[in-house]
Amino acid sequence: KKEKAIFYLTDTSIQEKELVISLINDYKYDRQSLMSILSLVYPALNSYLQSYDYGYKELTEYFNEYKYCKIANTITEKLRELVDMYATNRIYYSLLDRRSSIVSKKNKDNSKLYFVDALGVEFLNYIRELCYAKNMSFDVDLAYCELPSITCMNKEFVSDFANHVDVKDLDNLKHEGNGNYNYEQTKLPIHIIEEMNILNRVLENVEKDLHDGIERIFLVSDHGASRLAVINETENKWEVKEKGQHSGRCCPKSDFDDKPDFAAEDNNFWCIANYYRFKGGRKANVEVHGGATLEEVIVPIIEIRKAGDKPKCEICEAFRSIVVSFKIKAKIQLFIAKETDQARVMCNGRYYDAIPSDNKYIYNVDMPEVKRGKHTIDVYIGNTRIAENLEFEAKNAGATENKYF
């Protein structure tokens, strides 16, 4: 069946899931086609891949590309350019706060911390979807961790919580692998199957805690991890003295007199900020951390609670069929039974702001990229989804005016 074989598979067995990932590696479907395929074949992986709004266009662009590359087992030229740019311009310092600063301001009354070691922000959309399915609210802050991005430098937040549990499964998987989940056994990123299974189990426990009366659950990470620094398989010219530590992603400053290329300096360490590694460092089995790429340094602070009642939301009747042309861009109106300035919609993988109109509860949504055809939207207030799969149709203006053609 070649590139069509993926349509004959399901997500009901581990063998089929692994074959789906193998076919993605073989045929490198483009991102939009891949999401369409996975929505039918492997919805959980599609949920991982779906676009997530990280609050800054630079981060959204970066992590959307990173997630695609991780699944497709490649490093695109676009991502290489972004990685090299941010290796010298570390934007998280200007965009985000330290994790400790954010955690210290959280309301921790009747709360519980899940310290999820090595949880990266790449999984935010997947976790959000799990929360929605369990009728739990989802709020998240992004922060940056301390360099080097290793656990011993990033545990300060644990002492803020009287009730906490450590979840080491993700970190153990990334370091040690499990069965075939090992780069020496297979070059395919099939470990993502188990990564999602681990998160499923975490969210099941969160649901139980909320049911047992805990008001708010926090999922906080010490650092992220990079798969692409593993598949890059490139060393730089500097050789570390203490071989085997942190897979060559960082080393003590005392190892070198001059600053290595593409390295960040902090806490008396050099931390590689692109996909190279220090020469002599032990290769990682699955994923790696310790460096200063965005996926290693940016961490989530997730707060989960029982979801409240959602306000009524629908597309206004007059906008369920709209006209588009070269000059007329797509626009719809929503009725949302709540006054807010945080409403937005997602259509075809893009987010658009829903702007309050002069009429109470009526919101305007301009979607210039939407073309002719039938479309569905999901509606959010902040990170809370209040409606999904609302349908409208965009018709060609010329065809509407001249139907006999």
Side-chain angles (χ1 to χ4, degrees), residues 7 20 29 115 137 151 189 199 220 331 349 392 402:
F7 291 102
V20 166
Y29 311 92
F115 169 15
S137 69
T151 301
L199 294 174
V220 185
K331 175 181 178 178
F392 73 95
N402 303 288

Side-chain angles (χ1 to χ4, degrees), residues 131-276:
C131 288
Y132 292 159
K134 297 176 181 298
N135 197 32
M136 301 186 299
S137 69
F138 171 94
D139 288 294
V140 65
D141 292 287
L142 302 183
Y144 62 85
C145 74
E146 302 297 326
L147 292 178
S149 53
I150 55 180
T151 301
C152 64
M153 301 292 294
N154 286 282
K155 297 179 67 174
E156 83 292 332
F157 60 91
V158 177
S159 61
D160 284 14
F161 295 86
N163 185 8
H164 80 272
V165 60
D166 293 349
V167 180
K168 301 288 292 182
D169 300 16
L170 272 178
D171 194 58
N172 291 340
L173 173 66
K174 294 174 189 295
H175 283 297
E176 305 301 332
N178 181 12
N180 288 335
Y181 303 147
N182 186 310
Y183 196 65
E184 298 305 315
Q185 298 294 325
T186 177
K187 300 296 188 287
L188 297 174
I190 56 175
H191 68 287
I192 194 172
I193 300 168
E194 182 58 22
E195 287 183 310
M196 291 190 291
N197 288 339
I198 290 168
L199 294 174
N200 290 347
R201 294 193 291 269
V202 170
L203 269 295
E204 288 172 0
N205 290 331
V206 167
E207 184 180 29
K208 292 175 184 176
D209 284 336
L210 293 176
H211 179 75
D212 291 340
I214 296 178
E215 185 176 351
R216 50 177 61 85
I217 305 292
F218 290 93
L219 272 57
V220 185
S221 176
D222 50 351
H223 54 75
S226 178
R227 171 64 175 182
L228 304 188
V230 174
I231 72 172
N232 192 53
E233 295 188 329
T234 303
E235 295 180 327
N236 63 23
K237 66 181 181 179
W238 288 278
E239 184 164 3
V240 295
K241 294 177 182 177
E242 297 184 32
K243 298 181 181 181
Q245 291 191 349
H246 314 302
S247 301
R249 296 298 292 162
C250 61
C251 73
K253 283 184 63 179
S254 58
D255 277 11
F256 310 108
D257 295 328
D258 59 333
K259 181 181 183 297
D261 295 337
F262 300 112
E265 175 188 356
D266 208 350
N267 294 314
N268 290 315
F269 273 80
W270 295 122
C271 305
I272 296 291
N274 62 7
Y275 288 152
Y276 286 12

Side-chain angles (χ1 to χ4, degrees), residues 360-392:
K360 190 175 182 180
Y361 302 144
I362 301 298
Y363 295 80
N364 295 317
V365 186
D366 293 315
M367 299 182 289
E369 289 81 12
V370 170
K371 307 302 181 185
R372 183 169 61 90
K374 293 183 178 180
H375 304 274
T376 62
I377 62 170
D378 294 345
V379 184
Y380 298 85
I381 295 179
N383 273 308
T384 300
R385 185 168 62 198
I386 62 170
E388 58 184 315
N389 296 324
L390 302 182
E391 297 182 355
F392 73 95

